Every structure is written in structure tokens, then in C-alpha cells.
Amino acid sequence: MSNPQLVEAIENEFIPVLVHNNKPGKDKEILTKYGEPAWNFQVIRFLNGAGDDVIPRRDKVWSVEGVAARMVEALQQVDREVPKYLEALSGKVAVENEGTTAFAMHCFWTGELRFGGLEGVLTTEAGWLEGKEVTLVTFDRERLSFDRLLNAAVSYDCANKVFTNAPSDASIASSSRLSVGSLSDGYRAARQSDQKRQLGGTPYEKLNLSPIQATKLNAFARTDSEEAVKWLSPNQREALKSL
């Protein structure tokens, strides 16, 4: 609970209730009602107004991404809108079918800018492979197929070569007559100063951003400020006004 965005989402989207272990009175009554042993590890349960579980109970979910993913699931279950910053905070944990590929191009800064704005792209990273500048793209296959991602890369002129470890993706890229290589053959991330270059010199770079937020803001900070702000939490938006 040390992550400020996670705490903000809990306070804005839920009514938090803390129940102590090994404590008499109401705390013990609640533990008994829900069958939670007093010696149990910390558990976060999501209940509706009637006190019923909104989503099935799960144990030992303590990471920021894991808790955020459960929050997203609970909001979706009751048809509540999921704030983009909470979706971003859940990261890759909430993705059931994740894909990763890299595209060689003339400039990985361009790759991060263009790919980051695509719906379904989770994160981007500037890197090197076979001496070429590449953009590493992690994406949600349920929202963005590899075929659509590849077509976008070609249209952006960001597909001099495609690197992947997925045979199905390699087959699709080969059928498009693009050169295909292995993602495992010596990929390395570029230096930190080459990451998310579009954020440099903007107020956004002073905010504490989750990886997905950084990817999206890098794509929209200089091209679509209205869309960029959508990825910020209410507190981040307030902080932005003073930067």
C-alpha cells in the first residue's frame, strides 16, 4: 500500500475497510463470518453492498500490479468504468495472452513514439539487436493481434526487420516478405537516457509514472495532450498544474 496511485484508486473507487487479525469484537465477528482464520496472511476481498464477494477470494496477492489487477477485475464485474491509470498500474499481470516482439528501424525513439499510442500495446523499450536500433514492444494479444501490430509497423516505416520468439508470429512476418530474426539473439536495452525521449522536457517526466503510463504519455505528450491526461490519476492531474 506504499504506492500512491494504488492508494488513490482504493480511496476513489472503493470503500476500504481494515479488519485486524487476533482482535476481539467486530473484527473477530467479520473474520468468523467470512471464514478467515485469525492467523491467516493478509487478504484483500472485494465485496458488494450486501457483503457478498464480487470476485472469488484469492490469497497471497500482495504486489502493486497484482492488487491493481484484482481491482480492475472487481470494477469490471460490476460494470464500473476502469480508470486508465488503474488499468496501467495493473501492468502485464492483468493480461492473459501477452506478446513480445522487436522491430528494427531507423530510430528507436520514433518506434517508442508510434507504437506506444496503439491500443493494446502495453510497454515499449528502446534497444539494440544485431547492431540495429530496435523498439521492443509488449502487447496484449486479446486487444491487438500480431498481424495488426505488424501492419502498423509497416505503415510507420518501422519494420526493417522483425524479431520474435513466437513461431506463429515469425510465420506471419515471413509471409509479409519481411526479414525475421530471433529475439533471443543478444537483445539489450538502450541506455536510460534513450528511453521515452518524448517525455524529456515535459512536465510529465516529473511525475511518478507506472511503466504503461510512461509508454502512453511518451506517445501522446507532444501530440495529443488531451489523450495524455486521460492516463493520469486525479492527484497526478492536480500535480501537473503546478509543474
Side-chain angles (χ1 to χ4, degrees), residues 143-159:
R143 298 163 64 188
L144 177 65
S145 68
F146 178 77
D147 189 49
R148 286 173 52 210
L149 175 60
L150 184 65
N151 288 338
V154 172
S155 69
Y156 296 156
D157 193 23
C158 291

Side-chain angles (χ1 to χ4, degrees), residues 3-10 85 89 208-210 213 233 236:
N3 184 286
Q5 291 180 42
L6 188 65
V7 172
E8 183 179 356
I10 291 171
Y85 77 94
L89 198 62
N208 180 19
L209 303 173
S210 67
Q213 276 186 315
S233 73
Q236 287 175 317

Side-chain angles (χ1 to χ4, degrees), residues 6 36 40 72 79 106 177 194 221-222 230 241:
L6 188 65
E36 295 288 355
N40 196 21
V72 169
D79 296 323
H106 57 286
R177 299 184 179 180
D194 279 327
R222 298 180 182 275
K230 291 180 181 178
K241 295 177 182 179

Side-chain angles (χ1 to χ4, degrees), residues 209-229:
L209 303 173
S210 67
I212 293 179
Q213 276 186 315
T215 292
K216 296 303 180 183
L217 288 169
N218 185 70
F220 297 120
R222 298 180 182 275
T223 61
D224 190 342
S225 59
E226 184 175 338
E227 180 64 25
V229 170

Side-chain angles (χ1 to χ4, degrees), residues 34 39 79 153 211 239:
Y34 290 99
W39 59 87
D79 296 323

Side-chain angles (χ1 to χ4, degrees), residues 160-175:
N160 296 340
K161 188 170 183 177
V162 183
F163 298 89
T164 179
N165 289 333
S168 59
D169 293 348
S171 177
I172 292 172
S174 296
S175 65

Side-chain angles (χ1 to χ4, degrees), residues 12 15 31 53 71 101 134 144 149 217:
N12 289 342
I15 300 175
L31 291 177
D53 285 299
M71 292 167 66
T101 189
V134 301
L144 177 65
L149 175 60
L217 288 169

